[in-house]
Amino acid sequence: MRRYLRVVGLCLACGFCSLLYAFSQLAVSLEEGAAGGRRPQAAVVSWLADGGRGTGRGAGSAGPGRTGRYDMKTRPDEKMHLAVVACGERLEETVTMLKSALIFSIKPLHVHIFAEDQLHDSFKDRLASWSFLRRFDYSLYPITFPGDSAADWKKLFKPCASQRLFLPLILKEVDSLLYVDTDILFLRPVDDIWSLLKKFNSTQIAAMAPEHEEPRIGWYNRFARHPYYGRTGVNSGVMLMNMTRMRSKYFKNDMTTARLQWGDILMPLLKKYKLNITWGDQDLLNIVFSHNPESLFVFPCQWNYRPDHCIYGSNCREAEEEGVFILHGNRGVYHDDKQPAFRAVYEALRNCWCLTASAVSLRRFGGWSGTD
């Protein structure tokens, strides 16, 4: 019980300290902006975009499959790309995830949102209130799967989850990309995990965290009926990709002696393992990297901290030593009472006004408490 309480305290402390830091930086930027005669929106954007150093032009929404360009005046390698897939009742989670990304990040961020058609208008409405932000833009895309296999891909696991497998083939002009599930919360700048791309060696094309650190409670090593990466498999809820390398690589596999490119390997894998996979697209990724282990960069569990890391005692040493960097609230823990620390961090970010123009104005005149 004491061990559990310590872990809960760790989660709460990391989340709220990060939020307090963000709000303190926001206040500093606002005060500097007021002293210099700048509009409050400009002060907020200055902090979000450049840590109080730079300027840009505003952001807004984009139509389906189109990019909203707002003259961010940056080199292509300065812009980070974030992707998320939202279906069903995932609108609120996705918006909260995006809010956490924008609160902390410094470099320009372009978000690629893949969503069911009925969610597009809702996303536009929700993100319209962020239109004063600089160095942020986004694109909305429909959910699409290749050819006659669309129905199989859509119902492989959760609705639309398999869309992530096709991002290198859809976003052909994007060199590198960070994919996250909707139930992700950033407690550090996206810039920090983005910088891991520079740590890839010449053979690595993607990065993920282990599914488990403790094999005794691992799922893959106890139950999987298919190949998986390493000792305990990997979790695909946070996946950093060099998509240029993914598109050009020829992958070893257990279906043919010939190596196959990304666009050619997915359907044969689905046909072979369809009856043996439980976690859908994540299982397929495990199969691919089990045969190509040299292609995967494995980052520590603090970049994908899940309930599994504290439900049976603490088993993420890096989080204990350095804190939680990215919180992954799978198993629906943001919406029940099973993990109070996870829910508390989620609700704090969901309810904060930190990315609305009205909040900026209220804060300037001393009327903003930081929450609804």
Side-chain angles (χ1 to χ4, degrees):
M1 184 64 181
R2 290 180 180 176
R3 193 176 184 86
Y4 173 77
L5 290 174
R6 285 199 298 269
V7 173
V8 170
L10 171 67
C11 293
L12 282 170
C14 292
F16 285 110
C17 286
S18 298
L19 288 175
L20 288 173
Y21 173 78
F23 294 146
S24 67
Q25 294 298 307
L26 179 62
V28 169
S29 295
L30 287 168
E31 291 169 1
E32 291 177 351
R38 297 161 56 194
R39 291 182 302 168
Q41 291 92 336
V44 175
V45 170
S46 177
W47 168 64
L48 285 172
D50 272 331
R53 295 186 298 274
T55 59
R57 294 288 298 273
S61 62
R66 296 180 296 165
T67 300
R69 301 291 183 184
Y70 298 96
D71 189 23
M72 292 193 286
K73 296 183 179 179
T74 57
R75 297 192 305 272
D77 62 343
E78 288 182 332
K79 186 188 296 186
M80 302 178 295
H81 290 265
L82 178 68
V84 64
V85 179
C87 290
E89 304 297 322
R90 298 285 183 161
L91 173 68
E92 191 69 34
E93 276 191 356
T94 305
V95 172
T96 303
M97 179 276 292
L98 294 176
K99 192 185 297 185
S100 74
L102 289 170
I103 286 173
F104 298 114
S105 297
I106 300 169
K107 290 182 181 178
L109 184 64
H110 186 98
V111 180
H112 303 268
I113 303 171
F114 291 80
E116 292 175 308
D117 293 343
Q118 62 266 29
L119 293 179
H120 283 214
D121 287 342
S122 297
F123 271 112
K124 292 177 184 178
D125 291 342
R126 296 294 296 274
L127 299 181
S129 64
W130 302 357
S131 59
F132 67 94
L133 293 174
R134 301 176 186 179
R135 298 200 172 190
F136 161 66
D137 57 3
Y138 70 93
S139 300
L140 275 169
Y141 306 85
I143 300 295
T144 55
F145 294 108
D148 298 333
S149 60
D152 291 332
W153 286 114
K154 187 166 185 178
K155 63 184 181 182
L156 178 60
F157 182 47
K158 294 180 180 179
C160 308
S162 299
Q163 181 74 78
R164 83 183 83 182
L165 294 175
F166 302 97
L167 297 181
L169 307 178
I170 297 172
L171 303 176
K172 295 180 180 180
E173 303 303 315
V174 178
D175 174 68
S176 296
L177 182 78
L178 175 63
Y179 166 85
V180 296
D181 286 347
T182 61
D183 51 8
I184 291 295
L185 293 175
F186 292 93
L187 304 182
R188 289 177 67 98
V190 176
D191 309 60
D192 290 347
I193 189 170
W194 189 259
S195 68
L196 296 181
L197 286 165
K198 297 179 181 178
K199 295 188 177 183
F200 284 17
N201 65 29
S202 60
T203 67
Q204 291 168 336
I205 65 172
M208 288 182 277
E211 175 68 14
H212 288 283
E213 278 61 43
E214 175 49 67
R216 289 177 296 178
I217 61 173
W219 192 92
Y220 283 107
N221 55 293
R222 293 189 296 160
F223 305 117
R225 296 179 293 163
H226 58 78
Y228 56 89
Y229 178 88
R231 291 196 308 159
T232 60
V234 286
N235 183 280
S236 60
V238 179
M239 184 176 179
L240 187 63
M241 295 176 276
N242 183 320
M243 298 204 300
T244 298
R245 292 184 180 182
M246 291 182 74
R247 288 186 286 261
S248 62
K249 181 177 175 61
Y250 286 82
F251 294 87
K252 300 187 291 287
N253 61 88
D254 59 359
M255 299 170 293
T256 173
T257 56
R259 299 192 178 196
L260 301 174
Q261 288 189 288
W262 191 257
D264 301 321
I265 199 172
L266 296 176
M267 195 62 208
L269 277 179
L270 178 61
K271 289 181 178 179
K272 178 172 182 177
Y273 289 104
K274 185 175 181 179
L275 299 179
N276 294 329
I277 57 179
T278 302
W279 308 113
D281 49 300
Q282 177 173 291
D283 290 347
L284 295 180
L285 289 168
N286 267 279
I287 295 169
V288 169
F289 288 109
S290 73
H291 296 296
N292 301 270
E294 75 286 351
S295 298
L296 188 66
F297 179 96
V298 180
F299 49 68
C301 48
Q302 63 195 156
W303 295 103
N304 188 353
Y305 191 88
R306 306 182 305 281
D308 289 347
H309 292 120
C310 54
I311 195 171
Y312 300 116
S314 178
N315 54 65
C316 180
R317 178 177 53 82
E318 291 84 357
E320 290 184 359
E321 295 176 353
E322 301 177 11
V324 176
F325 296 167
I326 293 179
L327 197 66
H328 186 175
N330 63 338
R331 304 178 186 271
V333 296
Y334 293 150
H335 313 293
D336 59 33
D337 296 321
K338 295 179 180 179
Q339 292 284 340
F342 281 74
R343 182 171 181 173
V345 176
Y346 174 78
E347 290 184 350
L349 283 163
R350 184 196 64 189
N351 294 331
C352 80
W353 283 14
C354 41
L355 293 181
T356 63
S358 59
V360 175
S361 299
L362 284 170
R363 176 63 181 85
R364 184 179 184 187
F365 293 103
W368 179 38
S369 65
T371 59
D372 286 334

